Structure formats: structure tokens, C-alpha cells
Amino acid sequence: MALSIPVTWSDAHRLHDPESAVWVGVPIPGDELPARADAIRAALEEAGAPVVPAEPHPDDALLAVHEAGLVEFLRGAWRDWDAAGFPADPGQGDVTGYIFPTPGLLAGYEPRVPASLAARTGAWSYDTMTAVGPGTWEAARGAVDAALTAADIVLDGTRAAYACCRPPGHHVTRSAFGGSCYLNNTAIAAQYLRDRGFARVSILDVDAHHGNGAQTIFRERDDVLTGSVHVDPAYGWFPHFLGFAEESGETNLNATLSPGSGDEAWLAAVDRLVAAARRHESEALVVALGVDAASADPNSPLEVTGAGYREAGRRLGGLGLPTVLAQEGGYVLETVGSLVLEALQGFEEGAS
Ligand SMILES: [Zn+2]
């Protein structure tokens, strides 16, 4: 049966093409590449899914979730970097931070926004591997538009829509980007659904890594539940400083897994997220759909299969809620499309 879920899409994603990322001081090859989204779209189109162009949306939706300073920094960062001559001297073509205002540096003093552009980058980012290139802003903005267009489709009464977007977003906090993410697509979509009438919304994150952005953005709120299944950061995995089971509370659930966990343990954790959304009495669902928990993906030590993704889709679809799904991680070009297809087919089976 043909896949019927609408797939929202922005060509602007291709403008973000990071050749390398600085990790422990050295450039390593980038893997959050345009070919990822192209591969996913191709697999979904081949399965019959309708592709819907992303509609431009005003900045209000971003500013409901992110600090204005972060949005303004990202909008002008590369232009300012280029104008300041960094690509020629010292030869860094991408906006990259070098000093970060950690609590240890500030000792309680209010962080200033530094005059130096090189230093200012550190005020809005928390790692060195999430560089801003010439087309990053347009791509990140296009990803938000794809997520919001998916939300519009759901608000118009279609049961579910999937944003085939990149760069991903789930590691972005209210005021800091990192983890190959620039704007928090799923958090923005969740707030947008809240502002348009859904009183309670759940964000369930099945990416292999903790959805630290949504957890911190909605930390003080009980109208948005955040749940994430991911490899336990205690084993040395990104985002390292957050994502521990102990951070769970009334409206946040971190279901952590040890390296090597396969379908059985992973699906049991997905069930915990689904049960939490049910208890929360959410009226709408946003799924942060990363497929990097797959066994072939080198970015996580989890061992989930295609059948596992299909079953997770069924269980999420079984919630019976209006649902926006948005792409997060998943980096193996040969399999990323089929894994997303499995998850969406499972979702349609579960929802029917
Ligand atoms: Zn991930």
C-alpha cells in the first residue's frame, strides 16, 4: 500500500553542506550532509508519499522558543564572519567558536555578549563541531518552515505529516546551538501547535541521542511533555552533560539504554514514552524521528533494526493523536531512507 503521509520539504537544506567539523581541535569529515535528506525523500517518494513544499513562516514561531539573540546571531553570523576576513586569515571558512562562557569561567557573573565575533560565537554555541557556513541560516530556516508546514497540515485536520528536514534540531536549547543542530525544529513545532489550540503536547524523541534541547526549553512547563529514548550518556555519549535518567520528572522522561541494546529493550523504552504521553493526556504529538539508533549507524552503539523502527512507528501511531514527525539524525546513506520509510509505514499501520 502506498505511503499516504504528506512529506514536507525545503530545497534550502542543500545550502548547508559542512565538509568538516572541528572535533578535539582537528577537522573531521562531516556526516550531516545534503545527501541524507535527498536519500530519505527518494525512498518516501518511491513508496508513493506526496511531497509538499515548505511554506515560509514568520519568525514569531522561532522567537516563541529561542532567545532573540540566538536567532539574530545565526541570521548574520556567516556574513559577519566573511566580512571580518576570517576565511582568509586565519583561513577558517566557517563560523567556529573558541571560547565558551562556562559556569566555571563566569563564577556567577552575568555573561556578556563579547565584542569580538570569534568570541561571540561561543556565547551562542556550546561545541566546536557545529560550524555555521554560507548557507546554514537559510537551510536551518527552511527546516523550521518544513516542520511548521507539517504542523499546518495537521492543524488543517490531516492526521499526521512528516518534515523531511535538515539540519536537525533536537540539541538546540533556548539560547545555544550545538550537536550539528541550529534551530530546534521539533520544539518550535510543538509550541506552534500549543499556540494554535492544542492544550497539551508531547515531544517524543527516538533519536539515538538525548533530546536535550526540548528537555531544557520546556523544563518549567507542564503543558509540554518531553520524552527521549537514547543511549545513556553515562557510557560516554553525546550530549554527555544531560540525558541522565535522574533528570526525569513529572513532565520529562529520559529512558536511557546501555550500548548494544537492540529492538526489545529499545521498544520497551518507546512504550514508556508512549505511556507517559498518554498519562499526560496530550492532545497532539511531535516525534523527533532520528534513525541513528540503527545497528549500522556508527554514531550510536544501539542495535535497532528496520523491523524495530516499524514497530516503534506502530506504537507511536497507536496513540491516535494528531502528529508532526520531523527528521533528526541518521547518517548511513544506504539505509537512512528505508529506516524512515519503515517508521512511517509502521506509524500509518498503528494509526489506522
Ligand atoms: Zn542522534
Side-chain angles (χ1 to χ4, degrees):
M1 214 169 65
L3 191 69
S4 64
I5 189 165
V7 174
T8 62
W9 174 266
S10 167
D11 281 331
H13 86 83
R14 296 199 187 100
L15 299 171
H16 176 63
D17 192 0
E19 273 173 24
S20 62
V22 175
W23 185 70
V24 298
V26 292
I28 57 168
D31 60 2
E32 201 292 283
L33 299 171
R36 296 178 59 241
D38 292 340
I40 297 169
R41 175 179 167 159
L44 302 183
E45 267 192 310
E46 197 180 303
V51 175
V52 180
E55 289 289 330
H57 286 71
D59 279 346
D60 314 14
L62 281 65
L63 298 171
V65 160
H66 292 304
E67 240 178 67
L70 171 66
V71 173
E72 289 320 306
F73 175 80
L74 286 169
R75 193 195 311 275
W78 191 83
R79 187 187 55 221
D80 294 347
W81 188 262
D82 191 42
F86 287 100
D89 178 14
Q92 173 54 274
D94 292 334
V95 183
T96 305
Y98 86 101
I99 179 171
F100 300 91
T102 64
L105 170 65
L106 294 171
Y109 289 100
E110 274 297 301
R112 307 292 182 107
V113 175
S116 153
L117 174 58
R120 199 151 71 238
T121 305
W124 300 113
S125 63
Y126 59 78
D127 66 35
T128 62
M129 63 182 200
T130 311
V132 179
T136 299
W137 167 253
E138 287 75 12
R141 199 61 185 71
V144 169
D145 285 331
L148 293 177
T149 301
D152 286 334
I153 291 169
V154 168
L155 285 161
D156 283 345
T158 299
R159 172 59 191 287
Y162 161 75
C164 186
C165 55
R166 64 166 288 279
H170 73 146
H171 292 308
V172 188
T173 69
R174 181 167 294 283
S175 57
F177 67 97
S180 304
C181 303
Y182 302 87
L183 295 167
N184 198 320
N185 308 314
T186 45
I188 293 168
Q191 182 63 45
Y192 188 82
L193 293 172
R194 273 288 293 107
D195 291 340
R196 280 156 187 76
F198 291 109
R200 294 166 82 77
V201 177
S202 280
I203 303 174
L204 300 185
D205 188 321
V206 298
D207 186 277
H209 306 98
H210 175 230
N212 60 294
Q215 174 177 315
T216 55
I217 287 168
F218 296 109
R219 185 181 179 187
E220 309 289 335
R221 305 255 302 261
D222 58 11
D223 57 329
V224 180
L225 174 121
T226 52
S228 178
V229 50
H230 51 267
V231 59
D232 192 335
Y235 289 96
W237 291 87
F238 197 89
H240 301 287
F241 295 96
L242 285 172
F244 296 87
E246 298 75 28
E247 295 153 18
S248 300
E250 199 63 26
T251 53
N252 180 60
L253 173 59
N254 287 338
T256 57
L257 296 172
S258 23
S261 296
D263 287 353
E264 198 181 328
W266 188 71
L267 287 168
V270 170
D271 281 341
R272 292 180 60 207
L273 304 189
V274 166
R278 209 168 260 134
R279 272 197 309 277
H280 183 249
E281 298 180 348
S282 288
E283 297 173 0
L285 172 65
V286 176
V287 178
L289 181 60
V291 293
D292 48 2
S295 46
D297 202 308
N299 283 286
S300 99
L302 302 179
E303 304 282 346
V304 178
T305 67
Y309 274 102
R310 193 173 192 114
E311 186 53 36
R314 284 193 194 106
R315 296 179 191 190
L316 292 163
L319 270 171
L321 295 174
T323 302
V324 173
L325 305 102
Q327 190 60 39
E328 298 288 353
Y331 302 93
V332 181
L333 296 176
E334 292 73 23
T335 52
V336 67
S338 63
L339 291 167
V340 173
L341 177 60
E342 292 277 8
L344 297 182
Q345 282 173 329
F347 185 91
E348 290 197 338
E349 289 161 7
S352 63

